Amino acid sequence: MNGEILKLSKYICSFNSEIDAEAYAEQLNMLYGAIYEMDAFVPIMFDEIVEIENTRIKANGVNVIKLINNVEMLILEYSKIAFDLGRKSLYENRAFRIASALKLVITELASSSLIDKDMKMSLKNTISETELDFGYAAGNHNIASLRMAQLIREYKANNGGK
């Protein structure tokens, strides 16, 4: 396992002592390990991952160490992260560096042999929405998924939160 993932796990668990750092590091490795393997990591991503993980811990508590145990669950977790980052990008008018890297990861994962043909078909829409949401979160606000489009319409109808 990548040393940076272990450091990230220990850092986050220092604020969430009820979480088993070793088990959590395995989850982090499934989510973010490929970014390090592709040599796409830049320092700002550390803070962005901490932000993402704080949201995941708030939503799942100690169960965050058990969420991902197969490739389908990994894709579904990426989908949740992508939508959350897209929403933050809209509301806070910011671009996330981690989103570009995660978009590449999900695209590579979707075209890999890790996902069988039937699963690819059943997750086709989820994967597409996830890729679009990561693109939006990375700062490309010219295109959005259907689920983000609804949020964008509501946001603009309310004068952009003003």
Side-chain angles (χ1 to χ4, degrees):
M1 184 176 308
N2 184 295
E4 291 296 316
I5 294 287
L6 291 171
K7 184 167 59 172
L8 183 62
S9 176
K10 286 178 184 173
Y11 178 76
I12 294 170
C13 288
S14 72
F15 301 104
N16 300 280
S17 58
E18 70 282 0
I19 296 174
D20 178 325
E22 204 171 298
Y24 185 53
E26 290 177 27
Q27 294 285 304
L28 293 176
N29 193 52
M30 285 186 260
L31 284 167
Y32 310 110
I35 294 170
Y36 292 96
E37 295 299 317
M38 297 182 317
D39 206 25
F41 183 81
V42 293
I44 187 68
M45 290 181 190
F46 187 92
D47 293 334
E48 292 177 349
I49 292 172
V50 170
E51 186 176 342
I52 292 166
E53 290 305 307
N54 283 334
T55 300
R56 290 181 67 237
I57 290 168
K58 265 187 203 155
N60 301 292
V62 99
N63 290 329
V64 76
I65 64 171
K66 301 176 193 169
L67 290 178
I68 305 164
N69 57 25
N70 61 45
V71 70
E72 182 176 8
M73 292 173 88
L74 177 62
I75 290 169
L76 294 174
E77 198 61 29
Y78 279 141
S79 181
K80 291 177 197 172
I81 292 168
F83 186 62
D84 187 54
L85 289 179
R87 188 172 43 238
K88 286 180 179 180
S89 182
L90 171 65
Y91 297 156
E92 299 171 15
N93 192 31
R94 67 190 265 217
F96 293 87
R97 291 291 299 269
I98 192 78
S100 295
L102 289 173
K103 180 180 179 185
L104 183 58
V105 169
I106 187 95
T107 300
E108 291 292 319
L109 180 61
S111 64
S112 76
S113 61
L114 293 172
I115 306 174
D116 66 41
K117 194 175 185 179
D118 291 338
M119 189 183 296
K120 280 183 187 174
M121 287 307 297
S122 71
L123 293 173
K124 183 180 178 182
N125 288 341
T126 301
I127 291 167
S128 175
E129 293 268 294
T130 302
E131 290 172 329
L132 289 169
D133 289 348
F134 277 138
Y136 190 91
N140 181 3
H141 289 193
N142 295 322
I143 190 165
S145 68
L146 293 174
R147 60 187 180 176
M148 277 302 301
Q150 178 64 32
L151 274 181
I152 294 164
R153 278 192 296 277
E154 290 169 6
Y155 185 72
K156 287 183 177 178
N158 292 318
N159 296 319
K162 295 177 184 164

